[in-house]
Amino acid sequence: MPLYSPDPNETMTPLRDERVAGSFRDPSGFVFFREGQLYRQVNSEYRENFELLTSSGLHESLVGKGLVVSFEEVDIPPHDPETADRILKPEEVPFVSYPYEWCFGQLKDSALTTLAIQKLALEHGMSLKDASAYNIQFLKGKPVLIDNLSFDRYEEGTPWVAYNQFCRHFLAPLALMAYCDIRLGQLLRVNIDGIPLDLTSKLLPRRTWMTFSLLTNIHLHAASQRRAADKGTTTGGKGVMSKRGLLGLIDSLETRIRKLKWSPGNTVWGDYYSDTNYSREALDHKRQLVSESLNVMTPISVWDMGANTGLFSRLASERGAYTVAFDMDSSAVEANYLECRKKGDDLLLPLMLDLSNPSPDLGWAHRERMSLRQRGPADLVMALALVHHLAIGNNVPLSDISRFFGEIGRALIIEFVPKEDSQIQRMLANREDVFPDYDRAHFEKAFSDHFHIKQTSPIRDSKRTLYLMTRL
């Protein structure tokens, strides 16, 4: 997580000694901040498993394969001395994201990473005790496990206690996205402990009953859970399974997940740059202006809101800024992620986000999962060809847009599209124009309440204007 200056008006990573709100469920340990630095406390009850994790070579192997974040032991006072065994300083991820913000490819890669970790753990006499998608984050463009305490000693004959959770967090949403509708991945937002298997079974088409791995891991699994609930028993962690059988289960899950496919199609925004009213001269000039603004500001972190396939996001990541490219279109985000993976772009993170309904704070006491705003502010926000969609498409007042951008970014590159533009003319073709204050003068006035306008640059061969602003 990025570290921020102690401005009382900002939402920021804690600078005092404070336990991370979402780190309370595991008795093995927890993470906390002290003076802006992230640490993990290992509790005494986890000592034996932690020593096995390191002495068996499992952790070294996982780090070597890029499957888990590294850590170093540090000699500092613990956050909770009564329970502490030792303190770790883990490698930090630049931006915390959540499964309901991932595209299909990101969730699939995260599932395969989790299974690869479990197989490697079994080779070293350990097993994942949980398989939460929230334990996966993206580091250097790839999914990695961030919970170093997720492993227990493996006992021959015991089943995988995290199997149920893996199916809810990974297999269920991937199957729904692949067989039904890509938008069903958003069910993870209202089911933060994974999509219930009985619901998944009801939603999947009947033909999935003919696929053995979905039959057993979704449909029959859901039926066994219903029977157990009727009897007042549980299905997790019970029974006997040989190690060979467990490895067979992991292989079966891996094979099924690899076969699940979803390809970006032609959506409203998926092919935006090939179907736009920008001329070649206008697009090239816009790229030039954005590049010049980035050179002036030299941000460390950039949020590109409405990034589409990342054409302008890459202008920031290529300059060394860690860039999060947000868009609401599944096809655009998937295409962006596949391009990042192909090119090995480890400074660009594409994510799903509807800016008119951004990720809220969720979970126990509204504190387990952070809202978008709580994960900011970024050094610089880019809002290119976006404001008219918020102001006219979603009826958001310009003053509210200005205030929100002021909360999530210290600087802003923003494009104003006037009503004369053909894009807005199409938006207003079938609705009444009830936006008398949507013009350049009102735009500049609204944004001047929260920003200092440093540069104003008309985009050649268009009616649009690009602004560079810094927060007041």
Side-chain angles (χ1 to χ4, degrees), residues 449-467:
D449 289 340
H450 300 278
F451 292 91
H452 167 64
I453 300 177
K454 289 177 62 70
Q455 294 178 10
T456 303
S457 305
I459 300 174
R460 287 198 294 264
D461 199 31
S462 80
K463 301 179 184 299
R464 305 182 176 200
T465 306
L466 198 72
Y467 292 83

Side-chain angles (χ1 to χ4, degrees), residues 143-158:
V144 297
L145 180 71
I146 60 168
D147 186 357
N148 304 102
L149 311 186
S150 285
F151 304 90
D152 276 347
R153 181 186 295 273
Y154 170 70
E155 300 292 343
E156 180 68 37
T158 57

